[in-house]
Amino acid sequence: KPDDVVIGGDFIDLESMSSHGNNPRPPTLVEELAPARAALDAIRKANPRAKITYLEGNHETRFSRWVSNNAKPLHGSLDIPSQLGLEKRGIEWVEYGKPWRVGKLHFVHGFWCTDAHAKKHLIEYGSSVTYGHTHRPQVYTRGLVDGSVHGAFAMPCMRTLDAAYLQHKPSGWMHGFGVYYVLPSGLFNVYT
């Protein structure tokens, strides 16, 4: 019975709007949105009292880019929060790149995919941060002279690991999720 549920972004691939074109038969937008709505309903049903926050991932940004490039008159009237019915489901939307904070931990979708992505996230954010973007778990911590310790915690993913656009290339992706226990003081424990 969590107090908060955070969806870390890339909840939907939006292959139907991808500019990469690696999938020879991408699903339609309708085929992508219907299971996403059903999954959001299941999450809400399992967590009726929890605050649910949806962090926009780079895959969700495909929608606004596609609308801007292909349907300019509709820009601003069509977006992922309305297409997924987030407001009626009581789910808060956080735009891509903006951190969402619980205690002393910042939640973001993530940006960097280097071999040392956790270190890069901690250096760039300068504070404790958790993210998913890479689909690969990783941890990097740093102690400061004032005695504080900050960490970056990369979460694995909960998607199929054989995405068509990977074309059977090894990815290093792993299944998993994170559980965060945040104390009233703001201090936290992370369990991957």
Side-chain angles (χ1 to χ4, degrees):
K1 296 184 179 179
D3 295 318
D4 296 279
V5 174
V6 180
I7 298 168
D10 291 356
F11 190 70
I12 48 180
D13 267 332
L14 288 175
E15 286 185 77
S16 56
M17 298 181 156
S18 174
S19 60
H20 298 296
N22 291 340
N23 187 345
R25 281 182 273 157
T28 65
L29 181 60
V30 170
E31 291 170 330
E32 291 188 279
L33 292 176
R37 290 183 195 116
L40 291 171
D41 288 339
I43 292 168
R44 172 50 74 202
K45 185 177 179 183
N47 303 282
R49 292 187 180 96
K51 177 179 181 179
I52 301 177
T53 305
Y54 189 130
L55 307 177
E56 181 180 25
N58 58 295
H59 284 245
E60 285 89 358
T61 65
R62 291 174 175 175
F63 190 92
S64 59
R65 284 195 313 267
W66 188 92
V67 170
S68 292
N69 293 334
N70 299 290
K72 288 187 193 294
L74 300 176
H75 186 71
S77 63
L78 286 177
D79 58 25
I80 288 295
S82 63
Q83 293 299 306
L84 293 177
L86 297 185
E87 187 175 333
K88 78 174 185 177
R89 289 175 170 86
I91 299 173
E92 180 181 346
W93 175 258
V94 177
E95 290 179 16
Y96 186 58
K98 292 188 176 178
W100 184 72
R101 186 175 176 170
V102 178
K104 296 183 178 189
L105 182 62
H106 296 84
F107 291 76
V108 298
H109 173 68
F111 291 101
W112 301 281
C113 293
T114 63
D115 284 344
H117 52 84
K119 181 177 182 179
K120 176 73 172 168
H121 278 82
L122 182 57
I123 290 169
E124 295 298 328
Y125 280 97
S127 186
S128 292
V129 62
T130 186
Y131 60 97
H133 182 61
T134 66
H135 306 193
R136 299 170 188 93
Q138 195 175 96
V139 174
Y140 181 79
T141 60
R142 174 177 274 170
L144 301 179
V145 71
D146 66 1
S148 65
V149 177
H150 296 272
F153 309 92
M155 290 296 118
C157 61
M158 295 180 68
R159 60 151 298 131
T160 58
L161 301 179
D162 59 348
Y165 56 81
L166 291 175
Q167 300 175 332
H168 307 294
K169 295 174 188 163
S171 67
W173 293 359
M174 295 178 67
H175 281 142
F177 59 93
V179 175
Y180 306 82
Y181 183 68
V182 183
L183 299 165
S185 66
L187 298 175
F188 59 87
N189 289 317
V190 178
Y191 305 94
T192 306

